[in-house]
Amino acid sequence: MPAPSRPALYLYTRSTDASTTITVDASQPNAIPISQDIFGNFLEDLGHAIERGILADAILNPSLEPENPSDTAPPFWTLQGNATWVEGGYYSPHAVQLAGATNGLAVGRLEQTVFLPVTRDPHYRFEALCRSLGTAGTIELLIEGTDAREGQVFAQRPIVVHGRTWQKVTFTFSVQEATPQKGEAYRFVLAYTNGDPVIVDRISLMPTDNIAGLDPEVVARAREWHIPILRYPGGNFSSGYHWEDGIGDPNRRPSSRNPAWGGIQSNRFGTDEFLHFCHLLHIQPQITVNAGDGTPENAAAWVAYCNGAPDSSVYAQMRAENGHPAPYGVKIWEVGNELYGDWQIGHTDAQGNAQRFVMFRDAMLRVDPTIKLIATGKGDEFTPEGLSRDAAWNEALLRRSLEEGNRPPDYLSIHPLLPLPEAAGAPDYDAQYQSAMAFPTFLDRVMFPQLAHLIQQGEGPYPHTRLAVTEWGIIVGGPNWRSVPNHSTFSGAIFNALMLNAMMRHSDLISIANMTGFMHGGCIEKVRGVVYVDPQYYTQQLYAAAKPYYPVAIHIEGPGEDVPARGRLQAVTDVPDVDAFAALTKDRNTLTLFLINRLIEGDRLVRLTLNDFEARSVSATILMADSPMAANDWAHPDRIKPQPYMLPTGFLKEDSSLNLPAHTLLVLTLHR
C-alpha cells in the first residue's frame, strides 16, 4: 500500500539518514480543533470490571443465584455441612439455609474467599437479609485466614434473627490483624450456631471508606486519568442489557447470567450509579442503548428516565422516586453495538441496521430532541475486500437515515480493534509487534480518509456526521494473546500513543473515541483487591492532561520501514521510525509535542526545529520500559510509570537534539 500524499499539516519524508528531523510550524494551526472527547474510555460488565472492579463490595453474587440452570451451588460460594441452597430468596429465586449438625453433617457454613483492603481500611459494613424458620436462630459472621494464616480468626460477630419475616441485618466491625499484607485472601463465613435454622440472602461486605458503593482507589485513579467522556454499558453487553433491571432498591434488583460474557450480573451498578460515578469524575456520560434484543420504545423510555422533567413521564417519575428529581441531561446516546457481527445478540444485516437506527432515532428524539445520536457503523475489517464490506454497511445506513429529509446520525461509530495474535497471523513476537505498530498508520492513511470521503459523498462537502471511534485498542485474539503485543504490557502503551496521534490528525472527522477499556482490556486493574494501572493508562493520561487543541503543521524526515501484509492486515509502506504530533492549547500559549519511537530495538536521534513559537521554558515527560513485554502487576504496581526527562543542557537554544530510546513515548511541553 503506497503512502498517499498528506495535507500540508502533516508530512513524512523517508530518508536514509540515521537521525530524524522534525520541523514544527506553529504559524499554521488547524482551524478545526481537536475534540477532547477523543480521550474517552468505556466501561462494560466484562471480566469482573463491575463486580470485582469498580464496586467496593468484597462479596460476589450477593443474591446467591445460579449462572446456569445446571448449577448445584451458587457460583463463588461454598456450602459446608448442613447448609442448603433453597428456593424463596428476598426478591430473588434462591437463598441459603443454615442449620445445626444432623445426620453426620456439621453445622451449616456459607463461605466465600474475599480480598479485603485491610491495609487501607480495617472497618467493614456487613449487610444481609435474613429470616429464621421458627422463633429465633443465631448465626455468626467470621473472617478467617487462609493459606499460611489458616486457623486464625480476624473477626467474629453473632447475628440473632427473630421470626419468619425477612429483616435487614447490618452492622460495622473491624478486621483485627497485626500485620496485614496487600493481596492476602480471607475467608468470609456465615455459620449456624444455635436455635432455629436461618435463611440468608442479599449479602454485602463493604469497606467503610467506599464512595457511594464504589472502590475509592478506583475512583482516585479515574479522577487522575483526565478522561472527558465514559461509554456505558458496552460493548456486547449492551445488546442484552435491560436498563430497568438496574434501577431502584439494589436489594430488589434481579440477578442473572451475563448474556454476553457469562458470569453473574447482579445489577448493583445501574443507571443511577453510573451517572453518579460520572458526576464524581466531572465527565460526560455516553450511554449505549440495547438495539440487539431491545426495542425503540425501551430506548426512548431510558432517555425519559435520564432526561425528562419529573412530571413528564412515568419513567422520569421513577427517577425522582429513586432519589434524583433533577434530570441528568445525558446528551450522547449510541444506538446499538457491532450489530454486523454474529457474536452480537440481535445482529442484523446492513439494511436491517439502517432501518433499526431510523426507528430508534425517531423514538428517542421524540422524547428529547436535543440529544446527539451515534449510529452503529462498521470499521472492523482491513483487507481491500473487508473495507468494501465496511463501506457497503455504512452507505446503507447513511442513505436510509437521510430519506424523507430526515437528519443523518450525529456520529457514525467504528471499532477498529486489533485482535492479536489472530489478526496479524505472524509466527513470532517481532513480526506481530511490527504489524501492530504499523496499524495506526494504515488507519491514518487509508481507513479514516475513506470514511471521510464516504460521508461527504452522502452529505456533501460540509457533512453533519462525524466519526465516533467507540472502541479501539489491541484486544485478545486467541489463547496465546499474552505471548504477543497486548493491552496489559508496555506494547499497548506505545500502540495507543500511535493511535492517538493518528486520530488527532483527523480532527475534522473524529469527535469521540473510547479506548478499550476502563477495567477490561488493560487500563485500571484490580487483582486480589489491589488496584494498579497498566502502562496504557499513562499514555491516555499524558495526552488528556496536555489538552492539545489546535493541531499545527509538522514535517518528519527520517528513517522508516515497509511492513508487509500479514494475516488480515494490509502492507504499509514508509512507516516512520519516529512518529510525532504537535498541537497548541486553546489559549495558544503552550505547545505540546508527542514523540514516539515505535521500534522494538534501536534508539533514534531526533533534531527538532520550531518555527513561530519562542519558548521561554520547556519540560519533558518520558514513558518507557526495558521491553515492550514489560508490565505492572499487583505485586509491582509502579514498575512502569511516567518519569521526568532531563533534556540536554541548552536544548532549543544551543542544540535541539535529543535521544529517543526504543519503544518510548516522550511528551515535550513548551510555554511561550
Side-chain angles (χ1 to χ4, degrees), residues 11-15 17 19-23 555-559:
L11 179 66
Y12 168 61
T13 303
R14 186 169 171 179
S15 72
D17 194 335
S19 63
T20 294
T21 298
I22 297 175
T23 303
H555 180 199
I556 304 171
E557 185 174 2

Side-chain angles (χ1 to χ4, degrees), residues 4-12 28 444 449 505-506 508 553-554:
S5 61
R6 296 289 300 169
L9 193 66
Y10 171 82
L11 179 66
Y12 168 61
Q28 299 184 51
D444 179 21
R505 289 185 188 115
H506 295 270
D508 58 339
I554 190 166

Side-chain angles (χ1 to χ4, degrees), residues 183-311:
E184 284 186 328
Y186 296 84
R187 185 182 300 112
F188 168 83
V189 181
L190 292 177
Y192 172 88
T193 56
N194 60 67
D196 296 310
V198 173
I199 296 179
V200 296
D201 197 7
R202 304 285 184 173
I203 302 164
S204 172
L205 186 62
M206 189 79 73
T208 57
D209 67 351
N210 75 88
I211 301 175
L214 305 174
D215 187 307
E217 292 184 88
V218 173
V219 172
R221 285 297 200 176
R223 282 174 170 158
E224 295 163 0
W225 211 355
H226 310 295
I227 56 174
I229 189 169
L230 185 62
R231 178 181 184 239
Y232 171 85
N236 294 359
F237 179 77
S238 65
S239 291
Y241 179 66
H242 296 277
W243 65 270
E244 305 97 319
D245 293 341
I247 61 172
D249 182 355
N251 283 326
R252 298 191 179 192
R253 299 180 191 178
S255 293
S256 60
R257 185 179 190 274
N258 185 315
W261 303 110
I264 298 293
Q265 170 191 345
S266 76
N267 283 304
R268 288 183 286 180
F269 187 82
T271 301
D272 295 290
E273 288 78 14
F274 168 66
L275 294 174
H276 181 67
F277 181 55
C278 291
H279 174 74
L280 289 173
L281 302 185
H282 305 289
I283 62 177
Q284 181 174 198
Q286 174 185 330
I287 291 180
T288 308
V289 301
N290 178 356
D293 66 4
T295 66
E297 294 75 20
N298 183 261
W302 202 357
V303 175
Y305 182 87
C306 291
N307 292 359
D311 58 352

Side-chain angles (χ1 to χ4, degrees), residues 80-100:
Q80 301 279 15
N82 196 8
T84 311
W85 198 23
V86 297
E87 295 183 351
Y90 182 81
Y91 288 91
S92 67
H94 296 86
V96 167
Q97 176 180 302
L98 301 173

Side-chain angles (χ1 to χ4, degrees), residues 167-181:
Q167 55 201 267
K168 181 184 290 187
V169 176
T170 181
F171 54 81
T172 300
F173 67 95
S174 298
V175 174
Q176 303 292 335
E177 185 171 8
T179 56
Q181 302 295 318

